[in-house]
Amino acid sequence: MTSCSQDAYQALRDYLNGLLNPSLADQALADVPAALRPGLETFMTGKTEYQDEAGRRMIYAADLAAWAADLIYGAGLTAPLPLATVDVAALRAATLRHAA
């Protein structure tokens, strides 16, 4: 594994682990990193979403935590995610938003 791939993998793990935080707020689907959005949309099929005042699709924090747990400990990604396509900076920024 190259150092770039290792960075991408670690950023992905940090992001998903951050979603497991019980104090995490609900999140707009648009704020989920683009590479992970299709998988989250599939996971959310049949689950409740809502729209915020700006009309953005919002995902409940509990559903985000369940999705992250499924990716980490359960079924994993529905399709391989080439680490070279992962936007490490966006994942780190999203992780920092969760920590704030």
Side-chain angles (χ1 to χ4, degrees), residues 22-48:
S23 64
L24 181 70
D26 296 352
Q27 186 177 139
L29 179 64
D31 291 341
V32 172
L36 298 173
R37 253 181 252 147
L40 177 58
E41 287 180 317
T42 299
F43 179 83
M44 290 301 298
T45 301
K47 294 178 178 57
T48 303

Side-chain angles (χ1 to χ4, degrees), residues 39-78:
L40 177 58
E41 287 180 317
T42 299
F43 179 83
M44 290 301 298
T45 301
K47 294 178 178 57
T48 303
E49 300 176 14
Y50 66 96
Q51 290 187 348
D52 67 2
E53 303 81 31
R56 299 181 309 163
R57 288 174 62 190
M58 299 296 291
I59 309 296
Y60 287 105
D63 287 329
L64 287 168
W67 171 67
D70 191 47
L71 289 180
I72 295 170
Y73 305 114
L77 294 168
T78 55

